[in-house]
Structures are given as C-alpha cells and as structure tokens.
Amino acid sequence: MSQSLARIIVHLVFSTKHRKPLIRSEIEKELYAFMVSLCAKRDCPVHEIGAMPDHLHICFTLSRTLSLSDLVEKIKAISSKWIKTKGNEYRTFAWQNGYGAFSLGQSQIPAVKNYIKNQKQHHIRQTFQDEYLSLLKKYQLSYDERYLWD
C-alpha cells in the first residue's frame, strides 16, 4: 500500500490546575474559537468543544502525522499563555499536568458531541472528579488516584 490513511477520533478531557473555576463565561466562547483554531492549524479538526469552569472537553480527529501527547502539550501551553492575557484574574491560570484521551468510533461522534454540548446540565448532578472517574471506568483504564488530581 503506497498511501498512509488514518482516522483517529479522540474525546480529550483535562482540567484547570487544582480544578480552579477559571473558565469563566466572559472568555468561554473566545476560548473555544481559540482552541478550535489551534487544533485546525495542526490538521486536527474539532467536532465539538465544551467546558465547565474547571475543565474542558474536545472531540476531534487526530492528524495522522501527530502524536496525541505532542498535540495536547502544544494546545495546553499555547492556550494557557493566551488565557493569561485576558485580565488580572487569569494571571495564574494553568491547566492540570495530565489529561484523559478516549478513542471513539465514527458512529460514537454524535453521542459524544451531545454529551459535550450538555456539560452544564450534566454537572448539575455530577462533579468533574466523578465524571472523570466514570470515563476511566467506562474505557477500562487503570489508574493510580494519587496522580489523577493536581
């Protein structure tokens, strides 16, 4: 085969450092646009993005020429610097060190998009920590809880 083809769809989740509620409504839409553009520049089209004050979800297709860890490192570093320019209340902004990335099949995209769009309703009943633990369980990922939260 002379052509390399791939379609790797990812549901990415990460929180603010110590889950501080710093993704405020006044920057939320602009942050989404900024994150979508960061991904697009790396040939990683975003299917859906959504956040709560303390964490972010992105469903996207990973470029076949990038590693997931390199992409996440870049978008977190660049967006963190960008958020810090939005005012004094954001000067200490940081993302958590880690992240959760979950692989999806094409048929799962609509359900995950809906899940991300409904974050505000979903979190009336569930904390980010509980949500994240349920995702780890759903995707059967082993973890050490001592290193999940920073």
Side-chain angles (χ1 to χ4, degrees):
M1 179 180 294
S2 63
Q3 189 176 22
S4 298
L5 302 169
R7 179 139 169 102
I8 302 167
I9 305 160
V10 178
H11 177 188
L12 177 66
V13 182
F14 53 88
S15 76
T16 59
K17 187 83 166 176
H18 304 296
R19 289 157 315 285
K20 290 183 180 177
L22 293 173
I23 304 173
R24 299 185 179 131
S25 59
E26 60 266 14
I27 67 161
E28 188 176 3
K29 297 297 183 200
E30 193 177 1
L31 172 63
Y32 295 169
F34 188 76
M35 296 291 264
V36 167
S37 73
L38 288 176
C39 291
K41 287 176 186 172
R42 288 154 182 83
D43 195 28
C44 295
V46 171
H47 304 285
E48 191 64 52
I49 186 168
M52 291 298 293
D54 64 349
H55 71 281
L56 183 78
H57 291 256
I58 309 173
C59 178
F60 66 95
T61 298
L62 181 65
S63 169
R64 72 170 186 78
T65 61
L66 289 178
S67 75
L68 177 64
S69 61
D70 287 346
L71 175 69
V72 175
E73 180 183 343
K74 287 281 189 207
I75 65 173
K76 285 170 70 173
I78 294 168
S79 63
S80 180
K81 288 177 186 172
W82 175 83
I83 290 171
K84 289 176 181 178
T85 69
K86 295 300 164 184
N88 284 336
E89 64 270 35
Y90 301 106
R91 70 183 182 284
T92 62
F93 184 89
W95 295 112
Q96 74 174 93
N97 290 326
Y99 61 88
F102 311 100
S103 61
L104 303 173
Q106 181 70 33
S107 64
Q108 294 171 290
I109 292 174
V112 171
K113 285 174 65 171
N114 189 54
Y115 179 82
I116 293 171
K117 285 179 188 176
N118 290 306
Q119 279 293 291
K120 295 198 183 346
Q121 293 168 301
H122 177 70
H123 283 289
I124 292 170
R125 300 178 308 277
Q126 189 177 45
T127 66
F128 167 67
Q129 290 95 324
D130 289 339
E131 174 190 42
Y132 192 65
L133 290 172
S134 71
L135 286 168
L136 295 175
K137 184 177 179 180
K138 176 181 177 180
Y139 286 93
Q140 300 175 9
L141 283 167
S142 299
Y143 60 90
D144 185 334
E145 196 159 354
R146 293 176 297 174
Y147 305 109
L148 282 183
W149 319 115
D150 65 350

